[in-house]
Amino acid sequence: MKNKGPVIPHEELQRGYELTFDNALRFLGAALAVKEYPDKALALAQLGQEEVGRTLTLLAAFALETNESAWQWFWRGWADHTLKGHRAYLYEIISPLRLEALRGDGSQYAGSPLRQRLSQEKEAGFYVDFDRAANAFISPATNVTAEEAGLRISTLSYLLVTADAVRRVILERDTEFRFAVFGELAHRICSETLNQQDMHQLAMEFSQRSERHREAFDDLDVALRGNAAFLTTLFISRD
């Protein structure tokens, strides 16, 4: 069955979490390295966003019960390409940080795909397609603009910045405890209907459980503020 798989021990989950985050970074680096080929940069950045979504799935798995029925949730999220790409956006619940851009046509871009589906970005960037309306084949080189590639790269960047803040806080100290804490937070973000304005209440709820919880969320706040300052310096143009 597609949604069935083994129950993964926490030690291996942690390894998978770190490997997946590193792979998302590599996709970002690869997209930047081939920016003179916007079609390939777009496809690589979209794959990177899928990996960012997977880091949240891996983190949420720390809150799962140790039975195969509970783990069907994990394996469904692990295999679903559409879900992976869109789950990355859930990091916006943890931090409101977002890079937005004014497009050439005057519209505001806030991270959503310019095509009908997010997955179409990698398809357009990697494969020759057939345009039925024009009755002609179309090359990725002419199907993707530098603007579209740049916008996806910027979205991947700000989502990675938030994911990195969570990762560093977990690995900084009290790691086993923090994987459990932020695993529960991630699972709630992935499985409940939450908005960014709910994050303050969630943080308060967790922080009131114990001093260790409060320290974890205090450290997260510091990390998020630091990463936001870094990203602002990196991407916001100065006069």
Side-chain angles (χ1 to χ4, degrees):
M1 294 289 291
K2 184 177 180 180
N3 295 335
K4 293 192 71 174
V7 175
I8 304 174
H10 284 186
E11 294 82 2
E12 188 60 24
L13 266 183
Q14 178 177 339
R15 180 172 176 271
Y17 172 76
E18 295 184 53
L19 288 174
T20 304
F21 182 87
D22 179 67
N23 202 37
L25 279 176
R26 290 169 66 85
F27 271 123
L28 175 59
L32 291 169
V34 298
K35 60 184 179 181
E36 67 270 28
Y37 303 105
D39 51 324
K40 301 304 179 273
L42 173 68
L44 290 167
Q46 196 274 313
L47 287 170
Q49 183 162 328
E50 287 189 12
E51 288 291 76
V52 174
R54 270 185 166 181
T55 65
L56 200 63
T57 299
L58 282 157
L59 189 55
F62 281 87
L64 294 176
E65 296 179 9
T66 55
N67 60 72
E68 288 188 1
S69 178
W71 275 75
Q72 289 182 20
W73 178 91
F74 172 83
W75 291 111
R76 182 173 62 252
W78 184 257
D80 189 326
H81 292 283
T82 299
L83 181 59
K84 288 184 290 184
H86 285 277
R87 186 163 279 174
Y89 290 117
L90 294 180
Y91 274 106
E92 293 183 1
I93 294 176
I94 297 175
S95 171
L97 175 68
R98 176 189 289 175
L99 289 175
E100 297 188 356
L102 188 65
R103 297 186 60 206
D105 61 5
S107 62
Q108 192 78 14
Y109 175 81
S112 59
L114 301 183
R115 299 171 187 270
Q116 187 176 5
R117 298 191 310 275
L118 183 61
S119 61
Q120 287 179 335
E121 293 183 349
K122 65 185 175 188
E123 295 166 6
F126 281 144
Y127 307 118
V128 171
D129 196 8
F130 185 76
D131 187 334
R132 294 183 182 273
N135 198 34
F137 288 100
I138 182 170
S139 166
T142 57
N143 196 16
V144 175
T145 66
E147 180 187 49
E148 184 180 15
L151 292 173
R152 178 55 53 209
I153 289 171
S154 69
T155 298
L156 173 59
S157 298
Y158 80 73
L159 292 171
L160 261 173
V161 161
T162 299
D164 174 63
V166 176
R167 180 188 65 89
R168 288 189 291 111
V169 167
I170 292 172
L171 299 179
E172 180 181 14
R173 57 194 172 102
D174 210 2
T175 298
E176 183 176 352
F177 173 76
R178 291 188 174 189
F179 263 118
V181 171
F182 289 106
E184 180 185 347
L185 175 66
H187 190 267
R188 291 181 64 176
I189 287 172
C190 290
S191 58
E192 299 179 15
T193 302
L194 298 171
N195 297 307
Q196 207 289 319
Q197 58 264 32
D198 299 317
M199 183 60 196
H200 177 72
Q201 184 60 41
L202 275 175
M204 289 293 294
E205 175 191 328
F206 277 87
S207 296
Q208 290 171 0
R209 293 182 183 179
S210 72
E211 182 66 17
R212 290 169 81 188
H213 284 84
R214 185 190 63 77
E215 289 177 349
F217 278 85
D218 284 350
D219 286 349
L220 177 62
D221 183 62
V222 171
L224 289 173
R225 290 176 185 273
N227 278 8
F230 166 75
L231 198 62
T232 299
T233 301
L234 188 63
F235 276 92
I236 304 301
S237 60
R238 296 182 291 251
D239 293 333

